[in-house]
Tab-separated table of all heavy atoms in Angstrom:
chain	number	residue	atom	x	y	z
M	489	LEU	N	9.872	-187.676	-49.456
M	489	LEU	CA	11.298	-187.935	-49.706
M	489	LEU	C	11.723	-189.270	-49.096
M	489	LEU	O	11.488	-189.499	-47.916
M	489	LEU	CB	12.117	-186.789	-49.087
M	489	LEU	CG	13.502	-186.493	-49.661
M	489	LEU	CD1	13.423	-186.112	-51.137
M	489	LEU	CD2	14.143	-185.364	-48.870
M	490	PRO	N	12.351	-190.137	-49.881
M	490	PRO	CA	12.676	-191.475	-49.377
M	490	PRO	C	13.886	-191.500	-48.432
M	490	PRO	O	14.256	-192.561	-47.948
M	490	PRO	CB	12.958	-192.278	-50.641
M	490	PRO	CG	13.408	-191.263	-51.629
M	490	PRO	CD	12.676	-190.008	-51.296
M	491	PHE	N	14.526	-190.400	-48.209
M	491	PHE	CA	15.667	-190.391	-47.283
M	491	PHE	C	15.615	-189.124	-46.450
M	491	PHE	O	14.839	-188.209	-46.750
M	491	PHE	CB	16.992	-190.477	-48.053
M	491	PHE	CG	17.083	-189.574	-49.250
M	491	PHE	CD1	17.202	-188.201	-49.084
M	491	PHE	CD2	17.050	-190.088	-50.546
M	491	PHE	CE1	17.294	-187.363	-50.178
M	491	PHE	CE2	17.130	-189.246	-51.652
M	491	PHE	CZ	17.258	-187.885	-51.462
M	492	THR	N	16.412	-189.085	-45.404
M	492	THR	CA	16.486	-187.831	-44.640
M	492	THR	C	17.631	-186.995	-45.196
M	492	THR	O	18.658	-187.532	-45.608
M	492	THR	CB	16.755	-188.091	-43.140
M	492	THR	OG1	17.759	-189.095	-43.042
M	492	THR	CG2	15.501	-188.540	-42.424
M	493	LEU	N	17.441	-185.703	-45.180
M	493	LEU	CA	18.480	-184.809	-45.694
M	493	LEU	C	19.706	-184.865	-44.787
M	493	LEU	O	19.592	-185.069	-43.583
M	493	LEU	CB	17.955	-183.378	-45.747
M	493	LEU	CG	16.791	-183.131	-46.704
M	493	LEU	CD1	16.310	-181.688	-46.583
M	493	LEU	CD2	17.188	-183.442	-48.138
M	494	THR	N	20.867	-184.673	-45.391
M	494	THR	CA	22.079	-184.609	-44.560
M	494	THR	C	22.063	-183.261	-43.835
M	494	THR	O	21.344	-182.339	-44.219
M	494	THR	CB	23.362	-184.678	-45.411
M	494	THR	OG1	23.403	-183.534	-46.267
M	494	THR	CG2	23.414	-185.936	-46.259
M	497	GLN	N	22.802	-180.508	-46.268
M	497	GLN	CA	21.673	-180.204	-47.147
M	497	GLN	C	20.644	-179.355	-46.412
M	497	GLN	O	20.064	-178.428	-46.975
M	497	GLN	CB	21.017	-181.498	-47.644
M	497	GLN	CG	21.815	-182.209	-48.730
M	497	GLN	CD	21.249	-183.580	-49.047
M	497	GLN	OE1	20.785	-184.305	-48.155
M	497	GLN	NE2	21.294	-183.956	-50.317
M	520	GLY	N	29.909	-178.770	-53.949
M	520	GLY	CA	29.712	-180.015	-53.226
M	520	GLY	C	30.426	-181.130	-53.927
M	520	GLY	O	30.449	-181.203	-55.154
M	521	GLU	N	31.010	-181.983	-53.134
M	521	GLU	CA	31.679	-183.170	-53.652
M	521	GLU	C	30.698	-183.944	-54.539
M	521	GLU	O	29.487	-183.885	-54.322
M	521	GLU	CB	32.092	-183.996	-52.427
M	521	GLU	CG	32.871	-185.234	-52.722
M	521	GLU	CD	34.188	-184.913	-53.408
M	521	GLU	OE1	34.176	-184.831	-54.654
M	521	GLU	OE2	35.196	-184.764	-52.721
M	522	VAL	N	31.233	-184.654	-55.541
M	522	VAL	CA	30.372	-185.508	-56.368
M	522	VAL	C	29.573	-186.431	-55.462
M	522	VAL	O	30.125	-187.055	-54.564
M	522	VAL	CB	31.169	-186.401	-57.351
M	522	VAL	CG1	31.115	-185.825	-58.725
M	522	VAL	CG2	32.593	-186.599	-56.889
M	523	GLY	N	28.281	-186.487	-55.703
M	523	GLY	CA	27.436	-187.390	-54.933
M	523	GLY	C	26.958	-186.828	-53.606
M	523	GLY	O	26.309	-187.526	-52.829
M	524	SER	N	27.255	-185.558	-53.344
M	524	SER	CA	26.861	-184.998	-52.055
M	524	SER	C	25.377	-184.618	-52.025
M	524	SER	O	24.858	-184.236	-50.983
M	524	SER	CB	27.732	-183.791	-51.705
M	524	SER	OG	27.627	-182.812	-52.710
M	525	GLY	N	24.706	-184.736	-53.159
M	525	GLY	CA	23.265	-184.501	-53.167
M	525	GLY	C	22.865	-183.056	-53.410
M	525	GLY	O	21.976	-182.525	-52.746
M	526	LYS	N	23.461	-182.451	-54.423
M	526	LYS	CA	23.144	-181.057	-54.719
M	526	LYS	C	21.778	-180.918	-55.398
M	526	LYS	O	21.088	-179.928	-55.213
M	526	LYS	CB	24.229	-180.458	-55.631
M	526	LYS	CG	25.578	-180.351	-54.941
M	526	LYS	CD	26.631	-179.729	-55.821
M	526	LYS	CE	27.055	-180.625	-56.966
M	526	LYS	NZ	27.794	-181.833	-56.529
M	527	THR	N	21.423	-181.966	-56.176
M	527	THR	CA	20.174	-181.863	-56.941
M	527	THR	C	18.964	-181.652	-56.029
M	527	THR	O	18.091	-180.841	-56.334
M	527	THR	CB	19.981	-183.136	-57.796
M	527	THR	OG1	21.216	-183.443	-58.416
M	527	THR	CG2	18.928	-182.914	-58.851
M	528	VAL	N	18.924	-182.383	-54.926
M	528	VAL	CA	17.791	-182.247	-54.008
M	528	VAL	C	17.723	-180.832	-53.461
M	528	VAL	O	16.647	-180.242	-53.354
M	528	VAL	CB	17.924	-183.241	-52.827
M	528	VAL	CG1	16.786	-183.042	-51.847
M	528	VAL	CG2	17.928	-184.653	-53.343
M	529	VAL	N	18.875	-180.287	-53.136
M	529	VAL	CA	18.930	-178.931	-52.603
M	529	VAL	C	18.348	-177.952	-53.628
M	529	VAL	O	17.517	-177.101	-53.306
M	529	VAL	CB	20.384	-178.544	-52.242
M	529	VAL	CG1	20.472	-177.080	-51.845
M	529	VAL	CG2	20.901	-179.435	-51.127
M	556	GLN	N	18.313	-186.247	-68.066
M	556	GLN	CA	18.310	-186.970	-66.802
M	556	GLN	C	17.680	-186.137	-65.689
M	556	GLN	O	16.890	-186.631	-64.901
M	556	GLN	CB	19.732	-187.336	-66.393
M	556	GLN	CG	19.759	-187.897	-64.976
M	556	GLN	CD	21.154	-188.046	-64.445
M	556	GLN	OE1	21.857	-188.943	-64.859
M	556	GLN	NE2	21.545	-187.167	-63.554
M	557	HIS	N	18.027	-184.854	-65.652
M	557	HIS	CA	17.456	-183.978	-64.628
M	557	HIS	C	15.939	-183.948	-64.738
M	557	HIS	O	15.235	-184.075	-63.737
M	557	HIS	CB	17.999	-182.557	-64.767
M	557	HIS	CG	19.278	-182.332	-64.018
M	557	HIS	ND1	19.483	-182.820	-62.747
M	557	HIS	CD2	20.411	-181.672	-64.345
M	557	HIS	CE1	20.688	-182.460	-62.347
M	557	HIS	NE2	21.275	-181.773	-63.295
M	560	THR	N	14.675	-187.245	-63.434
M	560	THR	CA	14.761	-187.347	-61.969
M	560	THR	C	13.715	-186.467	-61.308
M	560	THR	O	13.062	-186.890	-60.348
M	560	THR	CB	16.128	-186.853	-61.442
M	560	THR	OG1	17.103	-187.119	-62.415
M	560	THR	CG2	16.495	-187.503	-60.143
M	564	MET	N	11.022	-187.868	-58.860
M	564	MET	CA	11.003	-187.466	-57.465
M	564	MET	C	9.701	-186.769	-57.107
M	564	MET	O	9.193	-186.901	-56.007
M	564	MET	CB	12.180	-186.527	-57.153
M	564	MET	CG	13.528	-187.227	-57.189
M	564	MET	SD	14.879	-186.083	-56.862
M	564	MET	CE	15.135	-186.342	-55.129
M	632	ASP	N	23.616	-175.883	-63.290
M	632	ASP	CA	24.288	-177.072	-62.791
M	632	ASP	C	25.665	-177.202	-63.428
M	632	ASP	O	25.817	-176.956	-64.619
M	632	ASP	CB	23.448	-178.313	-63.112
M	632	ASP	CG	23.921	-179.524	-62.317
M	632	ASP	OD1	24.726	-179.356	-61.381
M	632	ASP	OD2	23.485	-180.647	-62.629
M	633	GLU	N	26.629	-177.603	-62.626
M	633	GLU	CA	27.985	-177.829	-63.122
M	633	GLU	C	28.503	-176.596	-63.839
M	633	GLU	O	28.847	-176.608	-65.004
M	633	GLU	CB	28.039	-179.052	-64.044
M	633	GLU	CG	27.277	-180.264	-63.534
M	633	GLU	CD	27.824	-180.834	-62.234
M	633	GLU	OE1	28.879	-180.366	-61.771
M	633	GLU	OE2	27.181	-181.723	-61.665
M	658	MET	N	25.674	-174.376	-59.250
M	658	MET	CA	26.204	-175.565	-58.569
M	658	MET	C	27.450	-176.062	-59.278
M	658	MET	O	27.491	-176.130	-60.504
M	658	MET	CB	25.162	-176.679	-58.583
M	658	MET	CG	23.852	-176.266	-57.957
M	658	MET	SD	22.834	-177.677	-57.586
M	658	MET	CE	22.221	-178.093	-59.202
M	660	ALA	N	30.502	-179.216	-59.090
M	660	ALA	CA	30.974	-180.432	-58.436
M	660	ALA	C	32.484	-180.458	-58.419
M	660	ALA	O	33.091	-181.360	-57.875
M	660	ALA	CB	30.449	-181.659	-59.162
M	680	LEU	N	28.717	-178.199	-49.501
M	680	LEU	CA	28.248	-179.473	-48.928
M	680	LEU	C	29.479	-180.344	-48.783
M	680	LEU	O	30.058	-180.759	-49.782
M	680	LEU	CB	27.256	-180.159	-49.867
M	680	LEU	CG	25.857	-179.576	-50.034
M	680	LEU	CD1	25.066	-180.424	-51.007
M	680	LEU	CD2	25.148	-179.518	-48.694
M	683	LEU	N	28.949	-186.600	-47.539
M	683	LEU	CA	28.141	-187.392	-48.448
M	683	LEU	C	26.993	-187.985	-47.623
M	683	LEU	O	27.137	-188.175	-46.422
M	683	LEU	CB	28.967	-188.533	-49.051
M	683	LEU	CG	30.174	-188.120	-49.895
M	683	LEU	CD1	30.846	-189.353	-50.482
M	683	LEU	CD2	29.747	-187.188	-51.019
M	684	PRO	N	25.861	-188.264	-48.287
M	684	PRO	CA	24.773	-188.908	-47.540
M	684	PRO	C	25.288	-190.172	-46.874
M	684	PRO	O	26.128	-190.874	-47.441
M	684	PRO	CB	23.754	-189.238	-48.630
M	684	PRO	CG	24.028	-188.268	-49.721
M	684	PRO	CD	25.496	-188.013	-49.678
M	685	SER	N	24.815	-190.446	-45.684
M	685	SER	CA	25.310	-191.628	-44.975
M	685	SER	C	24.809	-192.881	-45.677
M	685	SER	O	23.914	-192.834	-46.504
M	685	SER	CB	24.827	-191.603	-43.532
M	685	SER	OG	23.420	-191.564	-43.547
M	687	ARG	N	26.638	-194.577	-47.658
M	687	ARG	CA	27.461	-194.855	-48.831
M	687	ARG	C	28.580	-195.792	-48.419
M	687	ARG	O	29.256	-195.552	-47.414
M	687	ARG	CB	28.091	-193.565	-49.371
M	687	ARG	CG	27.097	-192.568	-49.876
M	687	ARG	CD	26.733	-192.865	-51.321
M	687	ARG	NE	25.532	-192.124	-51.698
M	687	ARG	CZ	25.541	-190.874	-52.135
M	687	ARG	NH1	26.681	-190.252	-52.271
M	687	ARG	NH2	24.429	-190.277	-52.443
M	821	GLY	N	27.467	-185.468	-63.625
M	821	GLY	CA	26.125	-185.522	-63.061
M	821	GLY	C	25.259	-186.746	-63.262
M	821	GLY	O	24.235	-186.877	-62.612
M	822	VAL	N	25.635	-187.652	-64.178
M	822	VAL	CA	24.758	-188.794	-64.425
M	822	VAL	C	24.584	-189.604	-63.143
M	822	VAL	O	25.532	-189.878	-62.430
M	822	VAL	CB	25.313	-189.677	-65.566
M	822	VAL	CG1	24.571	-190.994	-65.654
M	822	VAL	CG2	25.245	-188.923	-66.881
M	823	ASP	N	23.349	-189.962	-62.845
M	823	ASP	CA	23.051	-190.558	-61.543
M	823	ASP	C	22.256	-191.847	-61.680
M	823	ASP	O	21.058	-191.835	-61.901
M	823	ASP	CB	22.267	-189.539	-60.707
M	823	ASP	CG	22.006	-190.043	-59.293
M	823	ASP	OD1	22.883	-190.758	-58.748
M	823	ASP	OD2	20.935	-189.736	-58.750
M	824	VAL	N	22.952	-192.976	-61.603
M	824	VAL	CA	22.286	-194.272	-61.589
M	824	VAL	C	22.767	-194.993	-60.329
M	824	VAL	O	23.877	-195.518	-60.301
M	824	VAL	CB	22.624	-195.101	-62.853
M	824	VAL	CG1	22.005	-196.480	-62.788
M	824	VAL	CG2	22.176	-194.367	-64.107
M	825	PRO	N	21.959	-194.988	-59.278
M	825	PRO	CA	22.425	-195.470	-57.981
M	825	PRO	C	22.885	-196.931	-57.989
M	825	PRO	O	23.703	-197.329	-57.168
M	825	PRO	CB	21.194	-195.317	-57.073
M	825	PRO	CG	20.334	-194.311	-57.747
M	825	PRO	CD	20.596	-194.447	-59.205
M	845	GLN	N	35.406	-186.920	-61.529
M	845	GLN	CA	34.001	-186.783	-61.920
M	845	GLN	C	33.443	-188.103	-62.431
M	845	GLN	O	32.352	-188.511	-62.072
M	845	GLN	CB	33.866	-185.744	-63.038
M	845	GLN	CG	34.022	-184.331	-62.574
M	845	GLN	CD	32.906	-183.932	-61.654
M	845	GLN	OE1	31.752	-184.302	-61.859
M	845	GLN	NE2	33.240	-183.224	-60.601
M	848	GLY	N	32.808	-190.496	-59.805
M	848	GLY	CA	31.659	-190.102	-58.986
M	848	GLY	C	30.344	-190.680	-59.488
M	848	GLY	O	29.312	-190.557	-58.835
M	849	ARG	N	30.369	-191.319	-60.658
M	849	ARG	CA	29.145	-191.937	-61.189
M	849	ARG	C	28.819	-193.233	-60.484
M	849	ARG	O	27.727	-193.753	-60.631
M	849	ARG	CB	29.270	-192.227	-62.698
M	849	ARG	CG	29.594	-191.062	-63.582
M	849	ARG	CD	28.645	-189.924	-63.406
M	849	ARG	NE	29.317	-188.796	-62.801
M	849	ARG	CZ	28.771	-187.979	-61.904
M	849	ARG	NH1	27.545	-188.206	-61.468
M	849	ARG	NH2	29.434	-186.972	-61.415
M	852	ARG	N	26.945	-194.591	-55.748
M	852	ARG	CA	25.970	-193.577	-55.341
M	852	ARG	C	24.809	-194.185	-54.574
M	852	ARG	O	23.971	-193.470	-54.041
M	852	ARG	CB	25.457	-192.821	-56.571
M	852	ARG	CG	26.553	-192.037	-57.253
M	852	ARG	CD	26.125	-191.502	-58.595
M	852	ARG	NE	25.390	-190.240	-58.503
M	852	ARG	CZ	25.948	-189.042	-58.429
M	852	ARG	NH1	27.242	-188.931	-58.416
M	852	ARG	NH2	25.218	-187.957	-58.368
M	853	GLY	N	24.719	-195.498	-54.540
M	853	GLY	CA	23.667	-196.149	-53.768
M	853	GLY	C	24.290	-196.720	-52.500
M	853	GLY	O	25.288	-196.209	-52.004
L	229	ADP	P1	25.590	-184.464	-56.919
L	229	ADP	O1	25.857	-183.594	-55.750
L	229	ADP	O2	26.807	-185.175	-57.401
L	229	ADP	O3	24.865	-183.756	-58.005
L	229	ADP	P2	23.150	-185.907	-56.675
L	229	ADP	O4	22.323	-184.741	-56.345
L	229	ADP	O5	23.047	-186.447	-58.051
L	229	ADP	O6	24.654	-185.615	-56.352
L	229	ADP	O7	22.845	-187.032	-55.602
L	229	ADP	C1	23.486	-188.289	-55.631
L	229	ADP	C2	22.557	-189.381	-55.185
L	229	ADP	O8	22.362	-189.294	-53.774
L	229	ADP	C3	21.184	-189.314	-55.797
L	229	ADP	O9	20.803	-190.619	-56.162
L	229	ADP	C4	20.320	-188.766	-54.702
L	229	ADP	O10	18.998	-189.198	-54.819
L	229	ADP	C5	20.984	-189.318	-53.464
L	229	ADP	N1	20.798	-188.516	-52.262
L	229	ADP	C6	20.778	-187.162	-52.187
L	229	ADP	N2	20.635	-186.762	-50.908
L	229	ADP	C7	20.570	-187.874	-50.154
L	229	ADP	C8	20.422	-188.124	-48.739
L	229	ADP	N3	20.313	-187.127	-47.869
L	229	ADP	N4	20.415	-189.407	-48.337
L	229	ADP	C9	20.537	-190.411	-49.228
L	229	ADP	N5	20.668	-190.259	-50.551
L	229	ADP	C10	20.689	-189.009	-51.021
Side-chain angles (χ1 to χ4, degrees):
L489 205 60
F491 45 71
T492 43
L493 296 176
T494 63
Q497 284 171 323
E521 183 62 272
V522 258
S524 58
K526 294 182 290 292
T527 315
V528 177
V529 173
Q556 171 190 286
H557 272 318
T560 329
M564 290 178 96
D632 194 12
E633 316 297 354
M658 303 196 283
L680 288 180
L683 298 183
S685 58
R687 296 275 165 85
V822 169
D823 184 34
V824 176
Q845 286 294 321
R849 303 306 112 218
R852 296 169 84 84

